[in-house]
Amino acid sequence: RPSDLDGLPAGVAGHLEGEGIEAFYPPQEAAVEAGVTAGESLVASVPTASGKTLIAQLGMLSAVERGGKALYIVPLRALAGEKAREFEAFEEYGVSVGVSTGNYQSDGDWLGSKDIIVATSEKVDSLIRNGADWVDDLSCVVADEVHLVDDAHRGPTLEVTLAKLRQRVPSLQVVALSATVGNADELADWLDAELVDSDWRPIDLRTGVHYGQSLHLDDGSQRELSVGGNRNQTSALVEDTLADGGSTLVFVNSRRNAESAAGRLGDVSRRFLDGDEREALADIAEEIRGVSDTETSDDLADAVERGAAFHHAGLAREHRELVEEAFRDRLVKVVSATPTLAAGVNTPSRRVIVRDWQRYDGDAGGMQPLSVLEVHQMFGRAGRPGLDPYGEAVLLANTHEELEELFDRYIYADPEPVRSKLAAEPALRTHVLAAVATGVARSRDALLEFLSGTLYATQTDDPERLESVTDDVLDYLVANDFVEREDGGLSATSSGHLVSRLYVDPMSAAELLHGLEDAENPTPFGLYHLVARTPDLYGLYLRSGDRERYTELAYERETEFLGRMPSEFEENQWEDWLAATKTAKLLEDWANELDEDTIAERYGVGPGDIRGKVETAEWLLNAAERLAGDLGYGNTKAVRDARKRVEYGVGEELLDLAGVRNVGRKRARRLYEAGIETRADLRNAAKPVVLGALRGRRRTAETVLENVGHENPSMADVRADADAEAAAR
Ligand code: ADP
C-alpha cells in the first residue's frame, strides 16, 4: 500500500489512500519492485484503465522528494489541463505544478520554477529549441501513451524529444506508459529501462461480436439480447445495456457519424430517464447552448436532453467537458464518439461498442481497418471498477463471414508492434534543423550520433537508410539557406535559427519565404492562401461541387495569389491549390465577420475546426512576418494586418477596437455602428452611447472602459442611449 513506501513527500501516501488507493494493483506493485520510486527507468505496458497514471505519479513524486524536477509529456493538448488538475491535488503537500500549452513561447521561465511540468511533446520540443534551461534540472520524465511514437504525424517529435532529453541529462529517469503492444521489450531496450509488461485489468473484460440476434463472446458462449426484433444493432445493444442499468460508449469513425448516431440513440435512452434525471439533463443542455450559438451546440443540447451525447475533437472544450462529466455522473446514458475519446479521457462505461472498425484514410486512398492496438484501447474503456460487475466490449458484424473475420482480426489477435516513423522526410527535416540550430549537432557525424539514440536506430536493420535520408534532408536545408555546410561542420543561418525557434516545418518556412519574396502589396486573401498551402496547415477537404466552385474562385482571384499557380494539368498540385483556396476563403469569411454558424455550414466543419484553422493561420502569419522581417522584406505590415484580422475575426476598420480586452469581434462592430471607431473614441465617448452599444450591459461596459484605460469607468446611474442600443441590436 502507498503508506508502506519510502520516499514520497509527507502526506501523499495518506492522500492516495483517502482517494481509494488502498492497495496497489499488481502492475503498480511490479513497477515499485522494478524501482520506479528509486529513480529507475521503466516501461509500463499495461491495458487502458489499469492504473498507469499512479505509476507515473510515484516516479515523479519520489523524484521531487529527492529534490528533483519532473516532466509529464501528454499525448494531446486537450489532456494537459486535465492531467495538471489531477496533479494539483499534491500542491497541498508542497509539490508545485505548471502546465504549458499554446502556440507561443511565453511561459518558459515561470515553468522552470515548478516541480512538475505538464506539456505536449511539441511544446517541450519548442521550449528546448528556445533555450529552456530548466531542462537540465529534470530528473524524471514521463511519456504518456508512448506507443504513439508509431504515429506518422506526431510520433517522431515524441521520439526525438525523449532522445534529446536523455542526451541532455544522462541520468534521467524515463517512465514510459504504454498500452499493451507487441514489442514493449524493444521500447525498454531503447530507453535502457526496466519492463513491466502485463495484461492485468482491475475489472473483468468480456469481448465479442454481435451478429444477428446474438452476442458471440470470446469464451465461446453465445447469448440472445434482451430486446429482439428487427432493430438497428447499435440501438438494440444500447437498450439491452440500459435494461440492465448500464451505460454504453459507441465508437464510430467520423465526427458526422458521431453526431447522427447520438441523435438516433437518444430515442432509446430517453425512455430510461426518470424525472430527476430529465431535469438535471435539461440544465446541462442549457449550459451547452450557452457555450456557443451554433448548430453543433444545439444538436448536442438536444441529444443531452434525451440522455445521449456525441464527443469528438471538433467540439469546443467546454462542450467536451460537460459531456464527459455528465457521462461520468451517469446522467448521459450513451455517448457516440470518435476514437480520440479512447486515447485519454477517463470515461469508463459498462459496455463499449466499436461500431466502425474501418476508417477513411486519405493517404491510403480508401477505407482502412483500425489497428488491433486502437481497437483494444477502445475495448479498455469497458467496465467501471467498483460500479459494474464486468465490462463488455463488442464489435458488430453484418454477415457470418464478417463475424469470423472480426474474431480473427481483433478478438484473438495480439496488438501490433510499435514501429518508429522517424525516417519519414518531413519529420527528419524539422528535427535535423533543430538539432543543428540548437548546437546538438555541429557536424554530420554528431548528427548521426544523436540520431543513434532514437527508437528508429534501435529498430532498423538498415542503418544506411537513416544516413541517406539524413543526407537528403541536409541537402534540402542547405538549398533553402537554412543550414550552412563548411569544412564538414554544420551551422544554422539566421533564417534557420528563426525557423527552428518558431517551430514551423522548414518546408512551410520555405514556402512562406518564396511567396513573400516579391510580393509588394499582398492582400489578406493572398496571404491566407499562402499559409493554407504549407504543410503546417492542412487544407480543407474538397467535397462534391467544390472543385468547380473553387476553380472558378481561383481564376477570379488569380492576381492575388503569391507564387506560381499550377496549371489544371498538374493534377495533384492543382488539387492542393484548390484545397488551399477553400481554406483561404474560410479565413477571409472569418476576417469579414461572418458568424461562426454560417461558416460552419458553408464549409462543412465544426466550430472547433474553425478555431483550429484560425489559430494555426495566426501562428503561421506571425512566423511569416518574423521571417520576412529577418530578411528585410518590405511587406511585413501587410502580413501583420492580415494576421490581426484573423486573430480578431474583424474587418480592417475594427482592428484598433477589437484588440481591447473583452471587446471581441461582435462588440467591436456594435461600438463601431454607434460611431465609436477607435480606442481614443472609446475613451472619449459619452457613457450612455457606450452602454447602449454594449446593449445595456453595465458590468461589460465598465470592464471595457477599464481595459481601454478610462479614468472613471463607473456606469452607476448611466442610462443607455436609445439610438446606440438600437444600432447594436
Ligand atoms: P490508465 O492510465 O492506465 O488508463 P488510470 O491511471 O486512469 O488508468 O486509472 C484508472 C482508474 O483507476 C482511475 O480512476 C484511478 O484512480 C483508479 N486506480 C488506479 N490505481 C488504483 C488502485 N491501486 N486502487 C484503486 N483504484 C485505482
Side-chain angles (χ1 to χ4, degrees):
R1 29 191 316 153
S3 50
D4 299 334
L5 283 183
D6 294 326
L8 293 179
V12 164
H15 170 87
L16 290 173
E17 289 177 13
E19 294 282 289
I21 317 270
E22 283 158 14
F24 287 128
Y25 288 161
Q28 295 165 343
E29 203 176 317
V32 170
E33 270 159 27
V36 75
T37 53
E40 286 293 332
S41 287
L42 178 77
V43 169
S45 170
V46 289
T48 312
S50 302
K52 289 192 286 287
T53 311
L54 181 60
I55 296 179
Q57 287 174 346
L58 295 177
M60 295 195 298
L61 291 166
S62 51
V64 170
E65 181 64 9
R66 287 191 299 272
K69 180 189 283 303
L71 169 67
Y72 192 103
I73 302 179
V74 285
L76 289 172
R77 224 163 51 159
L79 284 178
E82 176 170 317
K83 282 293 167 195
R85 275 195 295 280
E86 216 175 307
F87 303 153
E88 274 161 15
F90 302 113
E91 294 203 320
E92 208 180 309
Y93 312 101
V95 180
S96 57
V97 179
V99 54
S100 175
T101 50
N103 280 330
Y104 294 99
Q105 335 105 353
S106 52
D107 42 10
D109 289 340
W110 170 80
L111 272 182
S113 68
K114 300 294 176 186
D115 297 321
I116 295 181
I117 295 166
V118 182
T120 59
S121 54
E122 286 80 9
K123 184 71 200 188
V124 177
D125 187 15
S126 164
L127 289 166
I128 294 176
R129 292 183 193 195
N130 286 282
D133 40 22
W134 52 261
V135 169
D136 294 315
D137 304 332
L138 285 176
S139 46
C140 174
V141 58
V142 176
D144 194 358
E145 311 263 349
V146 75
H147 55 267
L148 291 175
V149 291
D150 194 281
D151 183 281
H153 294 296
R154 303 192 45 213
T157 302
L158 176 58
E159 183 177 342
V160 168
T161 301
L162 286 174
K164 259 185 223 171
L165 292 171
R166 295 182 68 213
Q167 192 193 42
R168 290 273 288 263
V169 185
S171 63
L172 187 67
Q173 175 187 23
V174 180
V175 179
L177 310 178
S178 170
T180 31
V181 297
N183 59 341
D185 54 335
E186 266 180 23
L187 295 177
D189 245 7
W190 164 43
L191 297 168
D192 300 309
E194 298 290 318
L195 175 62
V196 172
D197 192 359
S198 158
D199 50 19
W200 182 88
R201 288 180 39 104
I203 175 164
D204 264 359
L205 177 66
R206 303 181 189 171
T207 56
V209 179
H210 181 258
Y211 168 61
Q213 308 289 346
S214 325
L215 204 50
H216 301 252
L217 291 165
D218 55 342
D219 60 5
S221 69
Q222 202 172 317
R223 161 162 101 64
E224 297 252 320
L225 294 192
S226 61
V227 281
N230 276 333
R231 315 267 317 259
N232 156 301
Q233 280 176 296
T234 313
S235 300
L237 281 159
V238 168
E239 179 162 351
D240 181 70
T241 325
L242 274 167
D244 201 26
S247 56
T248 310
L249 196 52
V250 183
F251 287 108
V252 299
N253 60 8
S254 73
R255 298 171 183 187
R256 202 174 288 259
N257 284 338
E259 297 186 9
S260 55
R264 274 196 310 277
L265 294 170
D267 287 338
V268 181
S269 55
R270 123 188 112 73
R271 292 188 276 113
F272 289 83
L273 301 174
D274 63 28
D276 289 347
E277 290 176 326
R278 258 194 296 276
E279 220 167 277
L281 286 165
D283 288 345
I284 299 170
E286 229 12 72
E287 260 186 89
I288 288 174
R289 288 201 176 86
V291 172
S292 65
D293 55 354
T294 58
E295 210 175 296
T296 311
S297 186
D298 261 350
D299 290 349
L300 184 61
D302 287 348
V304 164
E305 271 177 338
R306 301 187 302 153
F310 52 86
H311 188 292
H312 58 63
L315 288 183
R317 186 176 47 80
E318 296 92 325
H319 281 155
R320 280 204 306 264
E321 286 175 357
L322 285 165
V323 169
E324 289 161 19
E325 199 180 306
F327 192 56
R328 276 195 289 262
D329 291 344
R330 309 169 83 174
L331 285 167
V332 162
K333 310 290 180 192
V334 52
V335 172
S336 52
T338 54
T340 32
L341 186 70
V345 190
N346 188 19
T347 47
S349 80
R350 165 82 61 85
R351 193 174 253 165
V352 164
I353 302 176
V354 180
R355 194 196 74 177
D356 302 332
W357 58 276
Q358 294 185 316
R359 165 173 56 215
Y360 183 78
D361 178 349
D363 296 341
M367 299 300 279
Q368 293 294 318
L370 301 180
S371 69
V372 180
L373 197 150
E374 280 176 289
V375 170
H376 284 193
Q377 275 202 295
M378 297 178 204
F379 281 3
R381 294 284 161 214
R384 298 165 303 172
L387 289 174
D388 293 325
Y390 57 86
E392 199 172 66
V394 298
L395 291 144
L396 309 181
N398 285 311
T399 61
H400 200 269
E401 288 74 59
E402 199 181 1
L403 170 70
E404 292 188 344
E405 179 182 357
L406 291 177
F407 261 94
D408 287 341
R409 190 185 270 281
Y410 295 117
I411 306 284
Y412 297 141
D414 291 324
E416 299 81 1
V418 167
R419 307 287 311 172
S420 165
K421 299 291 188 291
L422 183 62
E425 222 168 278
L428 267 186
R429 210 158 51 211
T430 173
H431 293 299
V432 164
L433 176 59
V436 174
T438 51
V440 164
R442 296 185 202 281
S443 67
R444 180 178 175 277
D445 283 348
L447 184 59
L448 291 172
E449 166 68 25
F450 166 66
L451 292 171
S452 74
T454 59
L455 175 64
Y456 182 84
T458 310
Q459 289 189 323
T460 184
D461 40 21
D462 178 13
E464 275 161 30
R465 158 125 176 91
L466 185 60
E467 254 182 74
S468 77
V469 228
T470 306
D471 285 332
D472 289 349
V473 163
L474 277 176
D475 289 345
Y476 175 88
L477 294 172
V478 170
N480 282 285
D481 294 325
F482 295 140
V483 167
E484 275 170 348
R485 225 177 338 213
E486 240 175 305
D487 313 327
L490 296 173
S491 60
T493 62
S494 160
S495 305
H497 275 288
L498 197 50
V499 172
S500 165
R501 285 207 308 275
L502 291 168
Y503 210 76
V504 288
D505 182 337
M507 194 179 257
S508 297
E511 181 90 38
L512 294 176
L513 286 172
H514 290 159
L516 288 172
E517 206 170 7
D518 306 310
E520 272 178 31
N521 288 309
T523 63
F525 180 75
L527 289 163
Y528 300 153
H529 190 272
L530 179 63
V531 295
R533 32 181 229 262
T534 66
D536 278 306
L537 178 62
Y538 299 103
L540 293 167
Y541 280 114
L542 296 177
R543 299 188 299 171
S544 72
D546 278 355
R547 196 155 284 105
E548 294 71 32
R549 190 171 304 128
Y550 292 104
T551 297
E552 201 174 305
L553 187 70
Y555 285 118
E556 226 171 81
R557 316 266 315 246
E558 190 175 346
T559 54
E560 293 184 60
F561 291 132
L562 307 173
R564 184 189 76 90
M565 177 154 113
S567 91
E568 288 185 49
F569 300 104
E570 299 166 86
E571 276 180 31
N572 291 340
Q573 287 97 313
W574 182 246
E575 179 97 8
D576 291 346
W577 195 268
L578 293 185
T581 306
K582 181 175 177 183
T583 313
K585 187 74 182 105
L586 178 152
L587 293 168
E588 188 182 61
D589 282 354
W590 168 256
N592 284 342
E593 298 173 46
L594 232 67
D595 65 89
E596 278 180 272
D597 228 6
T598 314
I599 299 181
E601 200 166 321
R602 186 174 289 177
Y603 298 93
V605 294
D609 299 311
I610 303 176
R611 296 289 160 119
K613 294 281 178 233
V614 163
E615 272 175 29
T616 309
E618 198 187 314
W619 162 64
L620 285 167
L621 287 164
N622 173 61
E625 184 191 338
R626 301 271 305 271
L627 287 163
D630 179 62
L631 291 173
Y633 296 171
N635 44 24
T636 48
K637 173 153 183 349
V639 181
R640 182 163 58 247
D641 286 350
R643 171 175 61 74
K644 284 197 189 153
R645 288 195 50 198
V646 267
E647 179 177 352
Y648 304 130
V650 297
E652 200 169 348
E653 69 277 19
L654 293 188
L655 280 181
D656 188 36
L657 273 184
V660 177
R661 268 196 32 225
N662 297 90
V663 171
R665 63 202 300 245
K666 289 194 175 146
R667 288 180 183 153
R669 179 49 68 191
R670 291 184 191 129
L671 289 165
Y672 195 87
E673 296 298 319
I676 299 171
E677 302 185 356
T678 62
R679 293 177 192 218
D681 288 354
L682 186 53
R683 270 189 297 270
N684 299 323
K687 283 185 183 176
V689 175
V690 175
L691 185 60
L694 296 173
R695 301 162 133 199
R697 305 238 158 90
R698 284 210 159 66
R699 194 63 216 115
T700 307
E702 287 173 349
T703 311
V704 163
L705 284 189
E706 203 176 304
N707 291 342
V708 81
H710 199 283
E711 283 169 8
N712 169 24
S714 165
M715 283 281 162
D717 303 324
V718 175
R719 289 193 44 173
D721 175 271
D723 288 342
E725 197 156 10
R729 292 283 161 197

